[in-house]
Structures are given as structure tokens and as C-alpha cells.
Amino acid sequence: VDCYISKILSFVVNLPMQLLVYILVYPILWIISIVPTRLLYVLSDIIFILVYYIIGYRKRVVMDNLKLAFPKKTEGEIKSICKKFYHHFCDIFLETIKSISISEAELKKRFKPINIEEINKIEALNKNILVMMAHYASWEWIFVLERYTSHKGYAIYKRLQNKYFDALVKRIRAKYNTFLITTKETIPVLTESNKKGELTLSGFIADQTPKIDKARHWNEFMGVKVPIHTGAEMLAKKLNLAVVFCKVKKVKRGYYEVTFKTITLTPEEFKNYEITDIFLKLVEEQIHEAPEFYLWTHKRWKHKDNVPPEFQ
């Protein structure tokens, strides 16, 4: 017995740390993913108590962001939005885990496109499409929309540090014909795809904060001047992609509706950064409708005090 225990311990100790973490954590995630949805949201309520009241995860960041974005709201109103946001934040966390085992039929029932014909009309023109969306409501289940289109799907993402979990995320998306590519891979992959004559639909979550030393454009977002990420617009112009805004609405817990709005079929006709600014205005409208569903833990306004003189 001692010999077998020694061999097992030796095997575990010699495992690469990333693989060991994956082996230990993945079974827990899989078990959570198969929990019935009703119980999943009970678990979310429990996690909310832990995250909001005990750990206070990024609570100061959330409160500061809300006060910046809504300077006219009272302290009570800000706290109310903050609390609602954390309830939603915990839901999103568990819905992401649910993606491991959720069936296609269940996902389609919970994440519905309202006007997919907007995308289909552009497909009929044999044009490649770039979809811009924000960290709002749900962005994790967006990959199911590939089941309603004929274009090959690409989603631009940030590679996870743990290569085993990174591979897991890619496998989940690939089930629905969506392929994840990093920012650095975007131009070469889509350019090569274009040369092959493939029709593609590429998704960008385009409200991130760029590195300040790479910021080419500054403008107001929720009334505060910040650097703006312009990669999606630049790519659309480079490859002549139709640009579509994707608006996700949370109908009720665990249920979302998606609507599409075509920004342009001819991006080269717009001045630099004009498409990006249109996108951000649409995101602002979304946030004002129901602010609790935006990702307030993101340090979106961290460079607000570093505005270059030429943008002031």
C-alpha cells in the first residue's frame, strides 16, 4: 500500500502545475454545469452573499465607476445598481460554467435572436460581417448564434493563461462552429480566410480599454473622456467588412434576447473612428436602459486623468 501511495504522490508532484489545477478544478466545474438551472440560480444567490457581503470583490471599483457614469444619481440609487449588478455578475459566472454541458436546444431557448434576418440579409450579399458588442447582459452565450447563420464564425478573445482551460473554452465554442482567435491572430487569420473566399462572421467585444501607449483615439464614454479601442473599426476598413451592432437584452434570469443593427455595409466611407464612436453611443443607450447589466468590475475609466493635451 505504501508503495502505491508513494507512486501516486510522485506522479502528482511531477505533474505540470497548470495540468494539476485543471485536473482538480475541471470535475468541480463539470458537476456545477450539470446542476438543474433552477438550482444553479440558488447557488448563484449563495455566491452573491459571499462575493458582495463577505469578499467585496472589486466593490470599490464598481462604486467608483457607477459614480463616474451617473454623477446625478444619489448614493442610494448607486448602491441599488451596485447590488443588482453583483446578482447579475454571479449569474453570468455560473452561466459561463453551464456552457460546458448545456444542450443546444436549451441554449437556443435561453439566448434568442429577435431579428436574425438582419444578419441573413448581409449574408445574401456575400459580404463578410464584423459584429461589435459590449460587456453587457450576456456575451458568453453569443456563440450559439452561429446556428442561425451560414458564415464561418470567429471570435476574438484573450488567451487564458492555463492552456488546458484555454483548450476547453475553444472546444465549447467549436461545438457551434465558432473559432477563437487572439488579437494578434486576427488580421492574418481573417486575411487568409478572405483570400480563400470564405464568408466569415467575426465577433468583437469592443468596449475594452486599450493600453494607454497604444491609444489612437480618445472620446467621452458615459460622460468621461477615455482612450477608445479602435481595432474592430480598423479591421473592418482593412477587409471591407459589414459592421453590425449586437444588442443583448436580459429578459429575465437566464433568458436573453439579441437584436442586430447594421451600422454600415461600406466602412471605408466613414472617417476614422466614426464607426467606433457610433458603437459607443449605442452601448451608452444600452447601459442607460438597465445599468445593472454592464460589467462594472472592469476598470474602464482608469486612464481618465491621463488625457493627452491634443484630446482635451
Side-chain angles (χ1 to χ4, degrees):
V1 174
D2 288 344
C3 178
Y4 283 119
I5 292 175
S6 177
K7 286 181 178 180
I8 292 170
L9 289 174
S10 176
F11 172 75
V12 171
V13 167
N14 289 312
L15 279 175
M17 184 54 68
Q18 286 194 357
L19 179 57
L20 180 59
V21 171
Y22 180 79
I23 290 172
L24 293 174
V25 174
Y26 177 74
I28 299 171
L29 298 180
W30 184 81
I31 290 170
I32 293 173
S33 79
I34 62 173
V35 168
T37 306
R38 189 170 296 177
L39 293 180
L40 193 75
Y41 291 115
V42 172
L43 178 58
S44 178
D45 290 338
I46 295 170
I47 293 175
F48 163 75
I49 294 171
L50 179 67
V51 172
Y52 184 78
Y53 288 107
I54 300 174
I55 299 175
Y57 172 71
R58 291 203 174 190
K59 204 169 179 181
R60 177 44 53 196
V61 172
V62 173
M63 288 294 289
D64 288 346
N65 283 343
L66 286 169
K67 288 175 182 177
L68 272 173
F70 302 103
K72 295 183 180 180
K73 289 190 181 295
T74 66
E75 185 75 12
E77 289 172 323
I78 294 294
K79 287 182 178 179
S80 176
I81 295 171
C82 179
K83 193 172 181 179
K84 290 177 183 178
F85 160 72
Y86 275 99
H87 272 293
H88 171 68
F89 182 72
C90 294
D91 284 357
I92 286 289
F93 171 68
L94 289 176
E95 287 168 5
T96 302
I97 297 173
K98 187 69 176 176
S99 301
I100 295 173
S101 63
I102 193 169
S103 69
E104 182 177 327
E106 180 74 6
L107 196 50
K108 283 182 173 180
K109 184 173 73 173
R110 293 180 172 275
F111 202 87
K112 290 183 178 181
I114 300 302
N115 65 334
I116 195 66
E117 63 273 8
E118 190 73 10
I119 294 292
N120 298 149
K121 284 190 296 185
I122 302 174
E123 288 181 317
L125 298 173
N126 287 327
K127 282 192 70 72
N128 291 327
I129 305 167
L130 185 147
V131 173
M132 299 176 74
M133 65 183 300
H135 287 94
Y136 187 90
S138 173
W139 54 93
E140 288 296 338
W141 286 349
I142 190 72
F143 54 85
V144 77
L145 294 177
E146 275 301 308
R147 286 294 188 247
Y148 299 91
T149 71
S150 58
H151 280 33
K152 184 176 181 179
Y154 287 102
I156 290 71
Y157 86 118
K158 185 176 182 180
R159 181 179 282 123
L160 301 179
Q161 289 185 342
N162 187 305
K163 64 181 181 181
Y164 301 99
F165 282 110
D166 189 72
L168 172 64
V169 172
K170 286 184 174 181
R171 286 200 305 273
I172 293 170
R173 301 300 191 267
K175 288 193 301 183
Y176 299 90
N177 199 36
T178 297
F179 302 92
L180 299 185
I181 52 178
T182 64
T183 304
K184 291 182 179 179
E185 296 170 329
T186 303
I187 291 178
V189 168
L190 294 184
T191 300
E192 182 62 25
S193 179
N194 197 36
K195 287 179 181 178
K196 292 178 181 178
E198 293 179 337
L199 292 175
T200 60
L201 187 152
S202 305
F204 278 77
I205 300 181
D207 61 331
Q208 306 99 319
T209 302
K211 293 181 179 179
I212 193 166
D213 59 329
K214 295 183 178 180
R216 300 178 180 179
H217 179 53
W218 290 66
N219 206 343
E220 287 192 356
F221 179 54
M222 297 299 292
V224 183
K225 190 159 285 189
V226 290
I228 307 297
H229 206 291
T230 60
E233 176 181 336
M234 295 301 103
L235 182 67
K237 289 185 174 182
K238 181 179 179 66
L239 300 179
N240 190 29
L241 310 176
V243 181
V244 177
F245 174 66
C246 174
K247 178 180 179 180
V248 182
K249 178 182 178 181
K250 188 169 187 175
V251 180
K252 60 180 180 179
R253 208 169 194 185
Y255 290 85
Y256 303 89
E257 291 180 348
V258 184
T259 54
F260 299 99
K261 177 182 177 65
T262 300
I263 294 176
T264 181
L265 299 177
T266 52
E268 68 280 358
E269 294 179 359
F270 285 72
K271 296 177 182 178
N272 281 346
Y273 316 129
E274 192 176 354
I275 291 173
T276 300
D277 288 343
I278 291 171
F279 161 73
L280 285 177
K281 288 299 179 186
L282 292 170
V283 175
E284 286 182 342
E285 291 175 10
Q286 220 180 348
I287 293 172
H288 282 293
E289 286 176 11
E292 62 268 28
F293 300 137
Y294 189 61
L295 186 64
W296 296 106
T297 51
H298 179 42
K299 295 181 180 180
R300 184 66 189 86
W301 292 271
K302 63 183 177 181
H303 297 306
K304 65 181 177 62
D305 297 322
N306 300 309
V307 184
E310 62 270 28
F311 292 105
Q312 290 179 359

